[in-house]
Amino acid sequence: MPFMLSGITISLIGVLVAGALPLVWRNLAGHRAAQAVLAIAAACGAFASIAFLAAGTGPSTVFAPASIPALRFEINGLSAVFLAIVNAVACLCAIFAFRYVEKYRQVYDMPSLDLGVALFIFGMQAVLLSTSVISFMLFWEMMSLSSFVLVMADRQAASRKAALLYFGMAQFGAAAILAGFFLISGGKPLADFAAIAGMAAALPPAKITLAFILFFLGFGSKAGLVPLHIWLPEAHPQAPSHVSALMSSAMLKIAVYGFLLATTSLLPPLASGFGLSVVIVGLVTAVFGIVHASVEHDIKRAIAWHSIENLGLIFAMLGISMFAARNGMPLLSEIGLAAALFHAINHAIFKSGLFLSTGVIMSQIHTRDIEEMGGMAKRMPYFTAAICALTLSGAALPPFGTFYDEWLFVQGLVGHLAGSGPIVLAVLLSTLAVVAFCGGLAVFAMTKLFALPCLGQPRSEEAAHMKEPPASMNGPILFFAAAGLLAGVFSARILRTIGFADLIHADTFLSVATPKGSVAPMAAFALMAAVILGLVAARRVLGQRRIRTYHTWDCGQPITPRMEYTATAFSAPIRFFFRSIVGIRKTVVVTQTGSGPLLVKREMTLTGRSFWLSRVYEPLALAMHKLGDNARRIQSGSIQLYLLFILIALGATLLIAV
Amino acid sequence: MNPFILTAIQAVTVLALAPFATGLVRWCKARLQGRKGASPLLPYVSYATLLKKEMVISPVASWVFHVAPFVVLASSVFATLALPLVASDGAFAGLGNFILIASTLSLGSVFLVLGGLDPGSAFGGMGSSRELTLAALVEPSVIAVFAAFSVVSGGSTVSQMLAAAGMGVLAHPGLFLTLIGFVFVLLAENARYPVDNPATHLELTMVHEAMVLEYSGPYLAMLEYASSLKLTLFSLLLANFVLPAPLASTGAGPAMALAAVLGAVAKVGVAAALLALLESSMAKMRFYRMQEYMTIAFLAAFGGLVLVLV
């Protein structure tokens, strides 16, 4: 037991050391040493948290300074899952950054970037271990502010703009969370969570509702739930790729952890309406996220939109879990929670891998536009094999881990359909339909994400000269790809380790079981592998083996990359079918270029206006402006009037406070 | 009978029957359209010929081009082994969970799409984009169709759905709607009318054929065979949902197994004739009207699911 806890302490100290190192040792060697220390510390933390989970012990104190009780750090079963995610992702991102940041020495200020990353990771670790309002909020802000700085690490105008938007949303979220805590604790910042839970039990329902709304707004804005998602597709792409990986895989999960903490350990059991609202918000988020991910052709934005979809799904799973608990379906409640946690793990795996891959791609071709890519599979087979596995994992296809968490959820829903009342039935059926819809589109979005950059002819000069990245950059990506596959094959073991042993049948192949239906991931993988091997063996003995190389069929004129399907063309059907959601307008400008009426030049532009931006945020901003303008009228310049205002403000304050 | 023997019987029957199914649809269509038509056994000959030919592969193609035919064929073979087509409880019936099977078949579609895009031709991209759109949009209908059977039978593997007492189309009136949904799914998944024209030679209307355009020789044989196999297993599945008999099982003897094999041949024959009739009596839909088709498919499937629940 003590060795796990000391492992976590070592990881905390190691991360801080890794942040401080480049400050005193301001050259490349300092950066490398810092990344090595960070990788080792995070690996330590990851193994310690997994060992803690495997041992299955109850909450344990990691660190308790006698003089400051509010800074007591504690690990429990839930935070250990998230701590393992944060540390594992941090470890591999550090290995990746070892060479990656070096390529951008002119762009980033290395010591401050490394310090920012270390503080960011430390903030996330510490949030998970915090046991009091003040330390939770302190480290939450540390995480938010350091990531805010990291988003604008390249000091570009676009990054600063994205970072400011992110900052605004993050502060709004943090304020909501703090208000939620204070509402329960009666304004005591030093209260620890056990005490808060006690106070919450005695609160009137109206206050519970308000606290829930505040927590949902706060954690939802961090998780990128609609309509508070607008910062995510702006901020995640602007950050350096290993930071994007950390933000998407780890930081969004901290929001899930916070939400779980608030709803399961702090607030008393919530009525089913709360669960239902979480389901609705989650599903709306998933639909918007996946439709945008399908039509986006900026590679990092597409991945960021896909994160929005995944977080929406996680929240829908959590919502179903809350809803089911109040409607007499304890097993579905457990299935929802298990699926959400397992999806969080799987999402961390494949999303880190995908963001790191974009780092490799962008470091070579210096653009995020898929229309400039192509032909990578021919030039970098190992790297693209990894991306292929990562995107298949993102598409929730077997035998990858993501498939099994979605399987668990969908099977759980289907298994609980029969015999439920009309309202429950309506909720389960609509969830089932929307989840299946998103599942289908996720296959589209992810396949597009792999196929267009990796296959075909290179669409630009830079893309034609791409080559495999160094092993320290390829390694983490290949590791994530393999981990996604192993998470599928060993999904039963993982579910058992994170505390859902009763969803596992201890038969030969360790099936994952719901009340009506089970599946044995290892057996499925074994059969699929056996069939493929059988086909390969059959091909060895059967059929002609001679190959002639001849160019792609070209209809009689040389085929060029300009004739290939572009990413925009590829997603045209989806853009057309879901034009009401995507909000993309096509404008064609026809200009006369010659004498005849047929000699014209056509230029097509697609302009995207996000529904939420144009219908919610812009009217809101305009209204604020108008309010401001109107408020100017009372600024008459007469001192008597100002004194009157001060008096009214004072009176109002006293009235509220007393 | 030993479940492994049952699975072997089923695998041999279905794998052997697959080219015949494709040939039979083509022959029936030709007869219905007043042509003489090629022998239904022609696909056996053409696949064998393709196996003997050398492959022409574009220099643009990468490892994906070589992997795709194996994954595509493997996904269909996996479904052939796990689904109750001839035998109701084969050795791998436990893996016949409907979500697993549907997703494995999607894995096959994804690799078909990747193979279509890899050589960098415009036609491949066009076919791939369309195929992937269809595969994405048909997903909710697939889940709804099988969820309805799952609710009525109380099981989650397709074998359990067929084995439940009194299954078949009359088990619940709502299942009739579900079956209509399943027919929509079958046509979309197998690139048939009105979604795709399997006999087209005009690239602009192709979906499936555009993706395999760059393939030749043994790889083309594998892909064509995989699509025949998928058509066969969907036809058998539909037939078994309507009439889950005769099926071989562990409790029954060799006579039953023989009856099941003959039954499978008959089912494929009837399904092929009906498919040919359907394809001869309607036109292909415009691709940009596919959302209407998919909406109808989903409404039918979902309506069936709602009916069996209330």
Side-chain angles (χ1 to χ4, degrees):
Chain A
M1 209 44 223
F3 83 91
M4 300 167 200
L5 300 178
S6 43
I8 289 165
T9 318
I10 290 171
S11 78
L12 289 169
I13 298 169
V15 169
L16 285 181
V17 170
L21 258 183
L23 292 184
V24 287
W25 194 1
R26 298 184 64 92
N27 54 15
L28 191 61
H31 161 74
R32 290 193 168 167
Q35 297 311 308
V37 172
L38 185 57
I40 294 167
C44 230
F47 282 118
S49 349
I50 294 169
F52 178 84
L53 276 172
T57 37
S60 318
T61 303
V62 177
F63 168 79
S67 47
I68 325 168
L71 264 186
R72 192 172 66 85
F73 279 178
E74 184 189 85
I75 183 169
N76 57 35
L78 183 67
S79 58
V81 174
F82 289 92
L83 201 59
I85 294 177
V86 170
N87 279 314
V89 173
C91 170
L92 288 148
C93 285
I95 298 174
F96 181 82
F98 193 78
R99 291 288 299 277
Y100 169 73
V101 174
E102 194 186 318
K103 289 177 190 281
Y104 288 93
R105 279 160 85 175
Q106 267 72 47
V107 182
Y108 303 128
D109 177 39
M110 270 197 306
S112 33
L113 179 67
D114 288 344
L115 175 67
V117 171
L119 289 180
F120 181 40
I121 295 168
F122 182 79
M124 291 193 282
Q125 289 173 323
V127 163
L128 293 171
L129 298 170
S130 292
T131 53
S132 69
V133 173
I134 184 155
S135 86
F136 187 94
M137 288 315 299
L138 196 69
F139 293 117
W140 181 273
E141 282 297 338
M142 186 173 186
M143 166 182 95
S144 293
L145 292 179
S146 51
S147 55
F148 155 65
V149 176
L150 290 172
V151 168
M152 49 181 186
D154 62 0
R155 287 168 282 184
Q156 304 269 321
S159 304
R160 280 204 298 269
K161 205 173 158 211
L164 266 180
L165 178 63
Y166 169 47
F167 181 77
M169 290 308 252
Q171 291 314 306
F172 166 76
I177 298 168
L178 189 63
F181 278 135
F182 278 175
L183 189 67
I184 309 178
S185 73
K188 292 191 191 66
L190 292 176
D192 76 349
F193 289 153
I196 289 190
M199 292 181 220
L203 281 183
K207 276 196 171 175
I208 296 281
T209 311
L210 189 57
F212 172 80
I213 292 172
L214 286 169
F215 282 132
F216 194 28
L217 280 176
F219 294 119
S221 75
K222 198 65 166 174
L225 297 187
V226 165
L228 302 174
H229 66 290
I230 51 159
W231 62 274
L232 205 153
E234 308 296 330
H236 282 207
Q238 291 298 340
S241 289
H242 64 298
V243 177
S244 310
L246 278 167
M247 284 175 79
S248 214
S249 306
M251 187 180 75
L252 299 183
K253 306 300 149 44
I254 304 290
V256 175
Y257 167 78
F259 182 73
L260 270 172
L261 176 81
T263 49
T264 56
S265 346
L266 300 186
L267 297 173
L270 296 158
S272 66
F274 293 100
L276 192 57
S277 57
V278 177
V279 175
I280 292 170
V281 171
L283 292 178
V284 170
T285 305
V287 170
F288 268 91
I290 200 60
V291 171
H292 278 283
S294 307
V295 301
E296 187 62 63
H297 59 86
D298 173 324
I299 194 164
K300 280 182 105 174
R301 279 175 70 98
I303 301 175
W305 276 112
H306 188 249
S307 285
I308 294 182
E309 186 245 352
N310 279 286
L311 267 289
L313 273 185
I314 291 179
F315 272 83
M317 290 164 175
L318 291 178
I320 285 289
S321 171
M322 292 163 69
F323 180 78
R326 299 293 286 180
N327 285 286
M329 296 178 286
L331 247 166
L332 183 60
S333 171
E334 193 180 348
I335 287 171
L337 187 59
L341 287 184
F342 193 27
H343 194 78
I345 295 173
N346 288 317
H347 178 250
I349 293 173
F350 75 77
K351 200 43 69 76
S352 315
L354 284 176
F355 267 121
L356 295 186
S357 321
T358 64
V360 171
I361 297 170
M362 284 167 56
S363 70
Q364 297 198 24
I365 68 171
H366 309 292
T367 175
R368 302 197 312 236
D369 194 353
I370 297 180
E371 312 289 23
E372 308 274 310
M373 300 172 191
M376 292 196 304
K378 188 82 183 164
R379 285 155 193 84
M380 21 203 336
Y382 295 108
F383 175 67
T384 46
I387 306 190
C388 183
L390 292 166
T391 48
L392 289 176
S393 178
L397 289 172
F400 294 91
T402 324
F403 168 73
Y404 288 102
D405 69 64
E406 290 194 11
W407 176 88
L408 188 63
F409 188 53
V410 172
Q411 184 65 58
L413 288 175
V414 172
H416 281 83
L417 287 176
S420 26
I423 295 171
V424 175
L425 196 59
V427 172
L428 298 189
L429 274 179
S430 358
T431 311
L432 184 66
V434 178
V435 168
F437 170 81
C438 293
L441 277 184
V443 173
F444 184 94
M446 284 284 114
T447 309
K448 180 191 151 201
L449 196 65
F450 168 67
L452 286 145
C454 297
L455 307 180
Q457 295 194 55
R459 294 181 179 83
S460 68
E461 192 56 34
E462 287 83 3
H465 295 107
M466 293 184 78
K467 46 185 183 297
E468 289 277 357
S472 73
M473 284 165 77
N474 229 356
I477 298 170
L478 284 163
F479 179 90
F480 280 122
L485 181 64
L486 292 178
V489 178
F490 297 109
S491 42
R493 276 172 207 280
I494 295 176
L495 281 168
R496 196 167 59 183
T497 310
I498 61 174
F500 298 96
D502 36 341
L503 294 177
I504 308 303
H505 270 191
D507 47 14
T508 345
F509 283 110
L510 277 186
S511 307
V512 182
T514 68
K516 284 182 189 163
S518 65
V519 72
M522 279 199 270
F525 177 72
L527 183 61
M528 190 67 187
V531 170
I532 291 188
L533 287 179
L535 289 176
V536 172
R539 175 79 184 95
R540 292 235 162 245
V541 288
L542 267 178
Q544 177 62 259
R545 305 201 52 77
R546 220 145 32 99
I547 291 178
R548 187 152 59 93
T549 305
Y550 193 67
H551 63 74
T552 304
W553 184 49
D554 58 1
C555 302
Q557 56 175 344
I559 190 158
T560 68
R562 284 192 53 108
M563 296 174 187
E564 272 179 279
Y565 241 49
T566 59
T568 311
F570 192 82
S571 57
I574 298 291
R575 207 167 44 239
F576 177 77
F577 294 151
F578 301 106
R579 53 194 181 278
S580 51
I581 296 182
V582 206
I584 286 184
R585 296 251 150 62
K586 183 162 86 175
T587 27
V588 182
V589 179
V590 185
T591 40
Q592 195 87 20
T593 54
S595 49
L598 293 174
L599 296 176
V600 290
K601 186 174 138 200
R602 286 171 201 273
E603 275 175 286
M604 187 198 78
T605 36
L606 293 176
T607 41
R609 299 290 301 129
S610 149
F611 167 82
W612 299 101
L613 219 53
S614 58
R615 295 288 159 81
V616 180
Y617 283 94
E618 277 171 10
L620 205 67
L622 277 179
M624 293 292 279
H625 251 282
K626 242 193 176 143
L627 199 71
D629 275 346
N630 288 337
R632 277 218 320 249
R633 283 188 206 165
I634 54 173
Q635 305 265 11
S636 60
S638 100
I639 189 112
Q640 289 90 338
L641 205 60
Y642 286 144
L643 282 174
L644 180 68
F645 289 152
I646 292 173
L647 197 69
I648 292 172
L650 190 68
T653 318
L654 282 173
L655 218 67
I656 294 168
V658 177
Chain B
M1 228 189 267
N2 186 320
F4 280 97
I5 297 176
L6 283 177
T7 304
I9 293 175
Q10 162 163 322
V12 170
T13 312
V14 178
L15 293 178
L17 213 54
F20 176 66
T22 308
L24 196 61
V25 177
R26 287 191 196 145
W27 182 80
C28 291
K29 247 171 105 171
R31 299 304 298 163
L32 284 169
Q33 292 164 358
R35 291 181 282 125
K36 198 168 164 223
S39 155
L41 301 178
L42 184 65
Y44 291 98
V45 183
S46 29
Y47 296 166
T49 315
L50 280 175
L51 277 177
K52 278 188 280 181
K53 290 200 167 190
E54 78 171 358
M55 288 195 284
V56 180
I57 293 181
S58 164
V60 177
S62 67
W63 60 270
V64 174
F65 193 77
H66 297 270
V67 170
F70 290 96
V71 181
V72 173
L73 185 52
S75 73
S76 296
V77 173
F78 181 92
T80 309
L81 292 175
L83 287 173
L85 303 173
V86 176
S88 62
D89 47 358
F92 305 117
L95 292 175
N97 181 283
F98 69 95
I99 307 170
L100 182 62
I101 294 291
S103 301
T104 306
L105 290 175
S106 317
L107 184 71
S109 309
V110 165
F111 271 86
L112 191 61
V113 163
L114 298 182
L117 278 164
D118 200 28
S121 101
F123 299 125
M126 191 180 290
S128 293
S129 161
R130 292 173 179 175
E131 163 79 10
L132 201 52
T133 308
L134 296 173
L137 296 183
V138 82
E139 190 80 8
S141 315
V142 176
I143 297 289
V145 163
F146 284 104
F149 280 106
S150 173
V151 165
V152 173
S153 65
S156 78
T157 67
V158 182
S159 298
Q160 288 164 345
M161 294 176 194
L162 293 185
M167 277 305 284
V169 73
L170 295 177
H172 191 290
L175 288 183
F176 186 69
L177 212 50
T178 304
L179 277 177
I180 293 176
F182 188 70
V183 171
F184 276 94
V185 168
L186 185 153
L187 297 175
E189 287 266 2
N190 287 289
R192 311 301 304 193
Y193 271 94
V195 179
D196 185 14
N197 181 352
T200 185
H201 290 284
L202 180 63
E203 298 89 344
L204 293 176
T205 61
M206 291 176 174
V207 179
H208 180 267
E209 298 308 311
M211 283 187 290
V212 301
L213 208 58
E214 284 299 318
Y215 278 102
S216 52
Y219 282 170
L220 182 60
M222 286 168 82
L223 290 173
E224 295 282 357
Y225 182 66
S227 84
S228 297
L229 190 58
K230 204 168 162 189
L231 178 66
T232 315
L233 63 94
F234 267 90
S235 312
L236 279 174
L237 203 55
L238 176 65
N240 285 348
F241 275 137
V242 178
L243 179 75
L247 288 176
S249 65
T250 40
M256 193 61 190
L258 186 65
V261 171
L262 294 177
V265 178
K267 285 172 188 169
V268 167
V270 173
L274 289 177
L275 187 59
L277 188 63
L278 191 75
E279 293 207 323
S280 302
S281 57
M282 65 163 73
K284 184 181 166 300
M285 273 173 94
R286 261 182 67 215
F287 183 76
Y288 278 87
R289 282 184 60 198
M290 267 304 127
Q291 87 266 43
E292 295 167 28
Y293 177 90
M294 292 299 172
T295 312
I296 298 170
F298 178 69
L299 287 181
F302 198 70
L305 179 57
V306 172
L307 279 184
V308 299
L309 279 165
V310 293

